[in-house]
Amino acid sequence: MANEKSIDRMEKIVALCRRRGFIFGSSEIYGGINGFWDYGPLGCELKRNIKDAWWNDMVRNPPMPSADRFPKLAGREFQMVGVDCSIIMNSKVWVASGHVGGFQDPMVVCKVEGCKRLFRADKVYQVGFLNADVLTSMPAAYSKLQDQSISAQARIDVQAQLSISNVIPQLTLTVEADSREQAEQVEPSASQLKRHFGNATIAKVAFPLNNHPPHWPAAVCPNCLNGTLSDPLEFNLMFESNTGALKDSTSKVYLRPETAQGIFANFQNVYDTSRVKIPFGIAQIGKAFRNEINPRNYTFRSREFEQMEIEFFCHPDESMLWYEFWREARINWYKSLGIASDKLRPREQGKEELAHYSSACTDIEYMFPFSDEPQELEGVAHRGSFDLNQHGKFAKGKDDAFAIFDDEAWERDKHLFEQSRDREGAPLGRESAGTASPTSSQRETAGSSGAGDRAKEARSKPPYRYVPHVIEPSAGADRFTLAVLTEAYSYDESRASPEFLKFHPRLAPIKAAVFPLVAKDGLPEIAMPIYEAIRKVFPAQYDAKQSIGKRYARMDEAGTPFCFTIDGQTKVDGTVTVRNRDDASQMRIDKPRVVEFLREQLRI
RNA sequence: GCGGGUGUAGCUCAAUGGUAGAGUACCAGCCUUCCAAGCUGGUUGUUGCGCGUUCGAAUCGCGUCACCCGCUCCA
């Protein structure tokens, strides 16, 4: 729970963002729509600057491993290339990635305050206990139920028959179970038996809650044994649409829930056409869509959002080093853009927290004012070869369809496999480069058959042929934009304009403003050409309206780092005033130096 | 999905069931030589939306939508 002061701060930020046109709620004129946001004129410049900074710093001029931090990686060249994939892909992509099926399970929730526990509806069974006599109206169905030898399908058919009949069990128990058989092992207590059935024979029928008879009583929560469970709630986190004019099951498509799969699906294309060599990275910036259960916290959890993702492909033996390299590189990037280190919290996920495909993951978290808990800005995940294996299996029919062959290492090492086994102990090229080497078992294999076979065998295996491992630094463009806004927001009661945004100059939507001190005496005529000169290089604004203080204040709110004011003295000695956003200090510089001054100050 | 709260001008807020207002912002003009200055005038509303009660609803009731807070969830 965030404290009052920080919530108040958050509210002020939200109000400023709306007032000055950074962010609006989507579709406001129609009452809005939960979980969607629009960037206004200033917000769109800010977010564009953020994406441009990322693209420039990660793709065009990527970070390099330094010798002191990563001696084993130092000097290793790697390439970064970009893709821009369609949002809608063949639906099989999402089957392979695990997004279809994995997350469409209906859930049920306990209605009692203080419990509210959620269950997967197909993992909770309501077991109905019936007096056998009640079933006399359907003796055939009943006798079938008693017959343990009937097929599972026949049993389900009978159950379905029961579910549409008006038979209501005298007693129901709700249990968590993986199967109907497991569920049906539950027995009522002796007192329940006595109360409901006396000595009568009982029959037992179990239904999972995603398919239980509507006329049965509400299921009781197996957790608190007190509240009743809701009807199944569909939690389908992917947005669906259809291609073509006809809407049927074959036309169903999904709006991508992550940009990563476009990269994986194009791995072979990029590898075949770009002369990239392992290690290399593919980057993408683009919209993604998740039908979040509960969008919250301003733009933090939106249903439509933009990702800045890298999939970095590397040799399995080096993957942990690259993982650490990227984790550090990404944290440093945030710091380089003015995010205070004490609000930036890298958090290594515990083993139990990791997704099944991931062997390591660090969440880079930021302390937003809306919460006392740090919130995820970016996840740097070690995904192993999971994604390429999945697409290999689903698209090509074999796990290692996207394995690559390391020509360079093979050229260096092939003599080891073409000569007799007495060379077994010879130093291996790759090993000295701090990377992989054939394992001893491979060497034995190599030594036990003919040279040609040995070579062929070795070529087909790691380290020469392998499915690359993937390091995935996946950042949220909107989340970082929000972090930049909250980081920049400053309040100083002593200033005439207490609220201002202290953006890193590189990210500021407007870099400079030009004001004639008064709109007369020939000052606008001097100011306008200065504005036009700046505008050719940096986003700038010209303002001659209202008092000078008000104009400074307006620029403070927009986060403009510098204002140039032309006054009477400009006409005398050709100098203009530079006013600094952060401390409201002023200095004079020569008029022709204005653009140069900005270049120096902005260091862009 | 649950509980609590809030919806009136771009913003902050008024308005006994009886003509929707103020400040601020914004725009125009005047004034003004460095920090939201002053004067004059002006623009801005389906009171979130819908349905009811009423002679009459911003106000009362019901529903709905959105936002905020707390749970819950977030591959």
Side-chain angles (χ1 to χ4, degrees):
Chain A
M1 176 192 342
N3 64 41
E4 228 169 89
K5 195 175 160 191
S6 97
I7 286 170
D8 183 54
R9 178 183 162 83
M10 192 67 208
E11 280 172 4
K12 284 202 164 86
I13 291 167
V14 172
L16 176 59
C17 284
R18 155 135 196 86
R19 187 169 72 244
R20 290 309 308 266
F22 281 94
I23 296 169
F24 307 117
S26 169
S27 323
E28 267 180 359
I29 60 166
Y30 288 104
I33 176 170
N34 198 356
F36 298 88
W37 300 91
D38 296 338
Y39 289 89
L42 290 179
C44 121
E45 289 287 344
L46 175 64
K47 189 173 158 186
R48 180 176 302 254
N49 290 342
I50 284 170
K51 290 191 287 183
D52 285 350
W54 185 87
W55 193 263
N56 191 66
D57 296 348
M58 295 300 130
V59 182
R60 296 188 171 157
N61 178 33
M64 299 277 286
S66 67
D68 54 328
R69 287 290 297 121
F70 299 97
K72 286 185 176 173
L73 297 179
R76 294 292 302 280
E77 296 277 330
F78 64 82
Q79 282 173 278
M80 296 292 293
V81 295
V83 292
D84 187 343
C85 304
S86 66
I87 285 170
I88 291 174
M89 303 176 74
N90 187 310
S91 299
K92 289 174 190 164
V93 167
W94 309 111
V95 178
S97 70
H99 290 86
V100 172
F103 232 81
Q104 288 187 318
D105 311 305
M107 308 285 276
V108 291
V109 61
C110 175
K111 292 178 183 171
V112 159
E113 199 66 41
C115 179
K116 290 292 180 187
R117 180 139 165 215
L118 275 164
F119 304 90
R120 275 178 60 167
D122 60 334
K123 297 291 183 195
V124 179
Y125 285 79
Q126 189 173 29
V127 186
F129 299 89
L130 304 154
N131 188 324
D133 296 341
V134 177
L135 293 179
T136 49
S137 60
M138 38 175 59
Y142 175 60
S143 62
K144 272 192 188 171
L145 268 184
Q146 300 302 93
D147 180 0
Q148 296 298 325
S149 68
I150 63 169
S151 72
Q153 186 55 51
R155 207 172 161 75
I156 288 165
D157 291 344
V158 172
Q159 304 238 11
Q161 224 178 311
L162 278 174
S163 78
I164 57 171
S165 73
N166 288 322
V167 173
I168 297 172
Q170 280 95 325
L171 171 68
T172 64
L173 295 177
T174 312
V175 292
E176 286 184 88
D178 288 326
S179 66
R180 192 184 295 267
E181 289 69 31
Q182 190 188 340
E184 287 187 345
Q185 284 167 18
V186 70
E187 297 290 348
S189 67
S191 64
Q192 284 172 325
L193 270 180
K194 192 175 177 192
R195 178 153 24 105
H196 292 285
F197 300 100
N199 293 322
T201 314
I202 59 167
K204 209 187 271 184
V205 197
F207 293 97
L209 289 188
N210 57 356
N211 184 29
H212 104 297
H215 57 277
W216 278 26
V220 173
C221 174
N223 184 47
C224 66
L225 302 174
N226 184 15
T228 55
L229 297 174
S230 70
D231 288 335
L233 314 164
E234 290 285 343
F235 285 90
N236 185 349
L237 296 193
M238 276 202 290
F239 285 100
E240 292 175 8
S241 188
N242 297 82
T243 52
L246 288 177
K247 188 174 177 178
D248 61 35
S249 61
T250 62
S251 70
K252 188 197 268 189
V253 290
Y254 300 97
L255 273 57
R256 66 181 176 201
E258 61 176 28
T259 58
Q261 298 304 325
I263 297 177
F264 293 126
N266 279 296
F267 170 77
Q268 197 71 54
N269 287 340
V270 172
Y271 190 71
D272 289 347
T273 58
S274 312
R275 304 189 65 220
V276 286
K277 283 191 300 187
I278 300 282
F280 72 96
I282 305 178
Q284 172 163 225
I285 296 178
K287 286 282 182 79
F289 305 82
R290 294 182 195 180
N291 201 1
E292 297 288 353
I293 297 164
N294 194 351
R296 212 35 100 70
N297 291 330
Y298 202 30
T299 60
F300 183 81
R301 177 166 298 127
S302 304
R303 291 186 164 130
E304 173 176 343
F305 57 100
E306 199 149 15
Q307 292 186 300
M308 306 186 291
E309 281 199 307
I310 295 167
E311 306 299 334
F312 189 81
F313 300 93
C314 58
H315 194 284
D317 292 354
E318 287 185 332
S319 58
M320 277 313 287
L321 282 173
W322 285 114
Y323 166 68
E324 284 161 21
F325 164 74
W326 276 110
R327 184 174 57 186
E328 192 168 304
R330 293 299 305 145
I331 292 167
N332 289 338
W333 186 74
Y334 289 113
K335 289 179 183 169
S336 78
L337 292 173
I339 300 298
S341 52
D342 65 320
K343 287 189 188 155
L344 210 52
R345 311 275 173 85
R347 190 177 64 83
E348 182 93 33
Q349 285 192 5
K351 284 277 172 250
E352 68 292 344
E353 201 179 347
L354 291 171
H356 61 282
Y357 51 75
S358 183
S359 49
C361 184
T362 297
D363 285 343
I364 300 173
E365 300 183 325
Y366 177 75
M367 285 298 299
F368 285 97
F370 56 73
S371 173
D372 284 342
E373 299 289 322
Q375 305 285 324
E376 183 181 351
L377 277 185
E378 167 162 356
V380 180
H382 186 318
R383 296 177 71 106
S385 59
F386 174 81
D387 301 276
L388 290 180
N389 286 347
Q390 285 293 105
H391 288 299
K393 183 159 58 181
F394 280 77
K396 305 287 185 185
K398 52 179 187 173
D399 276 17
D400 64 348
F402 295 116
I404 55 136
F405 183 69
D406 189 339
D407 290 289
E408 228 173 274
W410 177 252
E411 284 305 313
R412 196 161 47 221
D413 295 351
K414 67 180 181 186
H415 64 282
L416 298 170
F417 299 95
E418 286 163 351
Q419 293 172 17
S420 62
R421 61 189 312 177
D422 61 354
R423 293 295 306 272
E424 188 181 304
L428 297 165
R430 283 193 66 99
E431 196 162 45
S432 57
T435 60
S437 64
T439 62
S440 58
S441 67
Q442 281 173 319
R443 284 181 221 144
E444 276 162 27
T445 308
S448 65
S449 54
D453 288 346
R454 289 202 309 268
K456 196 176 171 187
E457 169 86 13
R459 285 171 62 96
S460 70
K461 285 184 176 178
Y464 305 109
R465 188 171 185 278
Y466 59 92
V467 178
H469 275 202
V470 172
I471 309 304
E472 179 192 77
S474 170
D478 303 272
R479 287 184 175 187
F480 184 47
T481 302
L482 183 59
V484 166
L485 280 164
T486 61
E487 184 82 21
Y489 182 85
S490 310
Y491 193 87
D492 182 351
E493 197 70 62
S494 70
R495 289 165 64 119
S497 49
E499 280 185 304
F500 61 112
L501 294 176
K502 226 166 163 173
F503 290 130
H504 187 286
R506 210 177 152 193
L507 302 181
I510 306 166
K511 309 297 184 198
V514 179
F515 306 145
L517 185 58
V518 290
K520 62 173 190 179
D521 301 339
L523 300 186
E525 288 77 1
I526 302 172
M528 190 53 85
I530 297 174
Y531 161 63
E532 283 165 353
I534 296 174
R535 193 173 68 174
K536 291 193 174 87
V537 192
F538 300 113
Q541 283 197 356
Y542 174 86
D543 192 354
K545 301 287 173 63
Q546 297 175 317
S547 75
I548 190 70
K550 203 169 263 192
R551 283 178 272 166
Y552 285 144
R554 279 198 282 248
M555 283 301 142
D556 283 345
E557 278 189 345
T560 305
F562 299 102
C563 296
F564 298 99
T565 302
I566 285 71
D567 58 13
Q569 199 181 330
T570 308
K571 291 200 285 189
V572 178
D573 64 7
T575 62
V576 301
T577 303
V578 188
R579 186 265 194 184
N580 185 303
R581 172 198 66 197
D582 295 344
D583 56 9
S585 66
Q586 297 190 353
M587 59 184 281
R588 296 195 76 92
I589 63 168
D590 290 331
K591 196 175 72 175
R593 274 204 65 229
V594 165
V595 172
E596 186 193 340
F597 172 87
L598 273 178
R599 260 192 236 279
E600 289 165 7
Q601 294 294 316
L602 302 176
R603 288 188 297 275
I604 297 174

